[in-house]
Amino acid sequence: MEIKNIIIIGAAGRDFHNFNTYYRDNKAYKVVAFTAAQIPDIDGRKYPSELAGELYPEGIPIYSQDQLPELIKELQVDECVFAYSDVSYEDVMGVGAIVNAAGANFTLLGPKSTMLKSNKPVISVCAVRTGTGKSQTSRKIIETLLEHDLKVVAVRHPMPYGDLNAQRVQRFATVDDLKKHNCTIEEMEEYEPHVARGNIIYAGVDYADILAAAENDPDGCDVILWDGGNNDFSFFEPDLAVTVLDPHRPGHELKYYPGEVCLRTTDVAIINKVDSAAEEAVQIVENNIKFASPNSTIIKAESKITVDQPESIVGKRVLVVEDGPTLTHGEMKLGAGIVAAERLGAKEIIDPRPFAVGTLKETFNKYKHIANVLPAMGYGEQQLKDLEETINNADCDAVIIGTPIDLSRVISINKPCTRVHYDLDEISSPNLSGILKDFIQEHKLG
């Protein structure tokens, strides 16, 4: 049997999962490399032998995606597997052209090859783009299930940017666990809202082991909630699939991979942020749902915004800090912080670019669409320092924190700041309450 040489093209998430579920113990293939994009400082490492299995005693090297054509030739690669998310179809096929031009096949693995089956009922929350409102949707679902006295264990899409062995299976039950696992800002933004509400969340690298741990959590488990990342589809086979859409980016639900997969396989399609989007944009999104997923249930929702100290905004010159990935590869130009500033009558939303230092200056140079908002980049210690210095350099009266976590807890801010919170507020029927009631009855829960 001829063994095929494989490169997995990824970003420290879906790529490792595809390897673990499809290639790790498959003697028909040899994964000779991973390549990395989107996330800073993840190339130059190895996928360790302890995770890679007995077929890979030396582990698997991780290179920059920029080296892909040379790697295909040097490593005699037969096939490249694209395995990261929130990428336009043009960019996906651009990578495909590079791969084909170098002589290799170009592959996308689907749910049948990569989804794991749980022995617990699974609800997945996915999206068509980064920053649509998955987190607030997940919180809403969990809160509803808790009202029925069900034990919900959340499992988050991977963000393993540190020691991969140490991150094989991570359990977060308290805020202290975030420090114990050396979480980045991006990780804290996703985990902290869960633990602050008293529910358990798992994440890591090996999702078969993570699923087993979640199913057997010491505090009990009635339902697994898959809390998706970017616009990727679930790693677990869902019994109820929920997909969130954003009318601030109408049409993107049919233009970005693999978000359209989420849309076409969903049971429930939530059009979020209808309170801050144009009516015609909402209609475009609704029409596209009916085209791509005609049997799904459509729910319209507002992203309800509350502010801790609104007096810090009214009539003030403010710096707005928003979720980093939503602004960068999510391509958004605004978030909850900007909406709060405009609604509460800020005197001016200042441009952070003149005050940016280090890696944040590089971020602004790379993502030209970002203007009067500061992305909270915190993948590592240096980015965290650069974020702190940029905020403290800014000439403003106050700072609006539009990120899911309180930045003032992890960096020192030298001026008044206020947090913006956002929650899902459904405005149409049927709604999640009724859908989840049916789900509970169907699976004989409670």
Side-chain angles (χ1 to χ4, degrees), residues 118-122 149-155 171 200 202 210-225 445:
S118 176
N119 61 31
K120 302 287 184 179
V122 174
D149 296 322
L150 296 173
K151 293 184 180 296
V152 185
V153 177
V155 179
R171 181 181 186 269
I200 307 301
Y202 283 83
I210 289 167
L211 179 58
E215 291 169 339
N216 297 284
D217 187 81
D219 289 348
C221 174
D222 297 312
V223 178
I224 301 282
L225 182 129
L445 301 170

Side-chain angles (χ1 to χ4, degrees), residues 115-134:
M115 276 187 179
L116 302 169
K117 178 65 176 174
S118 176
N119 61 31
K120 302 287 184 179
V122 174
I123 299 173
S124 66
V125 178
C126 300
V128 296
R129 290 301 314 271
T130 298
T132 60
K134 293 185 301 295

Side-chain angles (χ1 to χ4, degrees), residues 316-355:
K316 302 293 177 61
R317 300 175 64 252
V318 296
L319 170 69
V320 177
V321 187
E322 303 275 21
D323 173 59
T326 299
L327 296 175
T328 55
H329 59 261
E331 300 174 301
M332 282 286 281
K333 296 181 180 180
L334 56 83
I338 292 288
V339 174
E342 292 174 347
R343 287 182 181 175
L344 290 170
K347 181 179 179 181
E348 180 186 353
I349 300 171
I350 72 156
D351 182 350
R353 289 173 293 184
F355 310 104

Side-chain angles (χ1 to χ4, degrees), residues 55-66:
L55 297 179
Y56 300 90
E58 304 299 321
I60 304 168
I62 305 171
Y63 299 96
S64 169
Q65 187 177 305
D66 295 338

Side-chain angles (χ1 to χ4, degrees), residues 171-179 181 191-192 195-196 199-200:
R171 181 181 186 269
F172 301 92
T174 68
V175 172
D176 288 341
D177 289 334
L178 305 177
K179 184 180 293 186
H181 290 290
Y191 307 152
E192 185 174 309
V195 299
N199 64 281
I200 307 301

Side-chain angles (χ1 to χ4, degrees), residues 368-383:
K368 302 292 187 183
H369 68 279
I370 304 174
N372 63 338
V373 61
L374 179 64
M377 305 300 290
Y379 296 105
E381 186 177 340
Q382 187 58 52
Q383 283 191 319

Side-chain angles (χ1 to χ4, degrees), residues 245-316:
L245 299 97
D246 186 354
H248 286 281
R249 289 167 284 182
H252 285 208
E253 56 274 1
L254 301 181
K255 295 179 180 177
Y256 282 75
Y257 179 81
E260 188 177 347
V261 177
C262 299
L263 176 57
R264 287 183 174 273
T265 56
T266 199
D267 300 304
V268 180
I270 298 177
I271 308 175
N272 195 19
K273 308 179 190 177
V274 298
D275 52 326
S276 57
E279 187 175 337
E280 56 269 26
V282 174
Q283 191 60 57
I284 289 170
V285 173
E286 185 170 358
N287 290 343
N288 285 339
I289 295 170
K290 291 175 179 177
F291 163 74
S293 187
N295 295 321
S296 63
T297 299
I298 297 175
I299 296 174
K300 292 180 182 177
E302 297 178 348
S303 187
K304 187 177 179 181
I305 292 173
T306 56
V307 181
D308 284 348
Q309 293 94 27
E311 65 276 6
S312 300
I313 298 175
V314 179
K316 302 293 177 61

